[in-house]
Amino acid sequence: MTGRQHRETEIARQVRAKGLAAGRTSAQIADEIHEACTTQFSTTRIKAHRLSHGIALADVIEQVRALFERDKKPMPGIGETLLSAYESGLKRPGPEYLHYLCTVYRVEPVALGYDGPCICGHGHRMPALTGGSEARERPAVLPMERELVIHPMPPDPDAQDDENILRRTLLNLLNVDTSLAELDGPVLGACEGIRRRMDETLVSATVSAAMLDQWEEATYSFGRQYTTTAPLRLLCDVLLELSAVRTAMSRRQPTDLAERLCRMAAQLSGLSGMILINLGDHRLARSFFRTGRTAADETGDRALRAWVCVRESLVPLYFGDAREALHLAKKSRDLAGSTPCAAQAMAPVVEARALAMMSGADSKKEVVDQAKRALARARNAFSHMREEDQEDVAFGYTERQLYFYQGDVLTKLGQTIEAEVVLDQALTKYEDHIVDQTLIRLDQAQCRLIDGDVKEALAIGTKALLLVGDEYLTDFIVRPALALEQAIIAQDPNAPGLDAYRTTLRRTKAQLKGGGA
């Protein structure tokens, strides 16, 4: 909610409180709100009626849907975006929607600012309003008035169930070998439930929230743990925090803190998406990034919006759609504009990786030049980033990430000499992130294979898979490992060491119990 919207709501709330104390009807209060707010905020009559009832857009929509259901009609397509357009004067409701809005507010179309009679041909006022003087003296206790009062939000049993599932998972991870942990059905359901309710809060309610300073510190702490904590364990912690944020956002709080809470929702949703990439669930990862974009849009922060977008671009990049990754990377670059930030450095790298994936190792010179120019832009942008962002592996962009992805691009372009130098530098910088260490080693194996050394490629690839623990051996790692296997088979299907590589790749979790970093 902007400062202007907050001020409008505050004035309307004061007018409503005084009107209710004086025994006025909601229709009378709406007229007073319109008179008090229209000059300063261009408040329309239809919006004044909603404010006079003290309800949100979502409540009006639910009332309209309930009326459609009562009349045995198909569920309407009206949503908050459309109702907001009515309230801002950008659109006029059609005859049917106007009828139901009049029914919700118990007024005629003219009271909502629209000329002409209603399509139903009869009035919408409650019987008490058209009765004797005694009835008109007691308008504040009408049944419809009571229905529209907003009560404190009761506990959400579904939300509590999802949180309990994640807490039980955390407890289990403390007591068992993490290499045996899996992203099973109940955990996936809990993840999706928390994400969906966050979406509903962002889209369906007035977003104004409170937060404590330690929540922000916890968010950045999770970012620091991203490289050192097993992904499923970290996901549970992050989502429990996200659920707490959603609860805070569902209650009205001071406006000056709303942006901080939306920022944290965007960061936690984006971090959840990043972890789910590591766990190999690209569908759920994409959903969390969409939630992150919704939250980031509320802040108006170009750098944050660009960060969520470029992080999302890794989903199609890793899971087979280089063209969409290129599109999202360019969109992130546009969102960042001239703002020095992590996305300014990361977006050109993703562009270069997508170009390399589309062209392959037999890239034409113009593609190679285009990708290298993108890498040069990334290095230049990195040099202008704040020092704290250069050290933040999750919410910023580090030098070791730049080396790793530059080596990956050069490998995919077939520039093996340059790639091996850069990949060696990257590997020395990754001491605490086994996932990226494994990906770097698989790139090194690809370089050796491109140069024709199948034996060494298999040796490097097998070592990489032996070093990675089972809790990290997800689809995210298996995909490039399988790609290496197929490339080796294409060159020499009977290569010595191929069977050992296959066995290591397809091992069961019991075979290397507790192995890896």
Side-chain angles (χ1 to χ4, degrees), residues 85-99:
Y86 295 160
E87 292 190 351
S88 64
L90 295 174
K91 291 187 177 182
R92 176 192 171 98
E96 186 175 43
Y97 284 163
L98 179 58
H99 162 67

Side-chain angles (χ1 to χ4, degrees), residues 128-139:
L129 289 176
T130 57
S133 59
E134 182 181 354
R136 287 192 294 271
E137 290 172 359
R138 295 183 287 103

Side-chain angles (χ1 to χ4, degrees), residues 107-255:
V107 295
E108 305 308 319
V110 67
L112 300 181
Y114 304 110
D115 297 330
C118 182
I119 190 175
C120 67
H122 56 75
H124 294 276
R125 295 182 183 276
M126 292 292 289
L129 289 176
T130 57
S133 59
E134 182 181 354
R136 287 192 294 271
E137 290 172 359
R138 295 183 287 103
V141 294
L142 294 174
M144 191 62 183
E145 299 289 343
R146 291 181 182 274
E147 290 178 15
L148 289 172
V149 173
I150 298 299
H151 299 285
M153 187 180 70
D156 186 341
D158 291 337
Q160 292 177 346
D161 288 345
D162 288 342
E163 291 177 15
N164 288 337
I165 288 172
L166 293 175
R167 290 189 179 99
R168 284 196 296 270
T169 303
L170 276 175
L171 289 174
N172 289 336
L173 290 172
L174 294 175
N175 297 322
V176 303
D177 191 336
T178 57
S179 67
L180 302 177
E182 293 183 352
L183 195 62
D184 58 16
V187 176
L188 281 172
C191 295
E192 177 62 19
I194 288 175
R195 186 203 64 77
R196 176 176 50 77
R197 280 186 289 277
M198 174 57 77
D199 267 349
E200 291 170 355
T201 299
L202 289 166
V203 178
S204 301
T206 301
V207 180
S208 56
M211 64 177 299
L212 301 174
D213 288 342
Q214 56 262 38
W215 285 4
E216 289 179 327
E217 176 56 36
T219 300
Y220 285 102
S221 174
F222 292 145
R224 291 190 292 271
Q225 295 174 47
Y226 174 66
T227 61
T228 58
T229 304
L232 184 55
R233 166 69 188 273
L234 183 59
L235 182 65
C236 291
D237 286 332
V238 171
L239 287 182
L240 287 171
E241 197 76 11
L242 182 63
S243 188
V245 171
R246 186 200 70 83
T247 301
M249 292 177 72
S250 66
R251 299 181 176 89
R252 193 188 72 81
Q253 301 291 347
T255 304

Side-chain angles (χ1 to χ4, degrees), residues 346-358:
M346 188 173 177
V349 173
V350 176
E351 288 182 46
R353 296 176 77 186
L355 286 169
M357 286 176 64
M358 289 187 290

Side-chain angles (χ1 to χ4, degrees), residues 286 313 315-326 354 357-358:
R286 199 67 185 269
S313 71
V315 179
L317 187 75
Y318 287 134
F319 294 98
D321 192 346
R323 292 189 182 279
E324 187 183 4
L326 183 62
M357 286 176 64
M358 289 187 290

Side-chain angles (χ1 to χ4, degrees), residues 407-408 410-412 414-421 423 440-453 457 460 484:
D408 182 70
L410 293 170
T411 299
K412 288 179 170 58
Q415 307 290 300
T416 57
I417 296 176
E418 294 178 69
E420 289 192 2
V421 172
L423 289 171
I440 290 170
R441 291 188 174 99
L442 291 175
D443 274 342
Q444 289 178 323
Q446 285 281 8
C447 284
R448 299 300 173 87
L449 184 62
I450 292 171
D451 290 338
D453 193 342
I460 294 173
L484 177 62

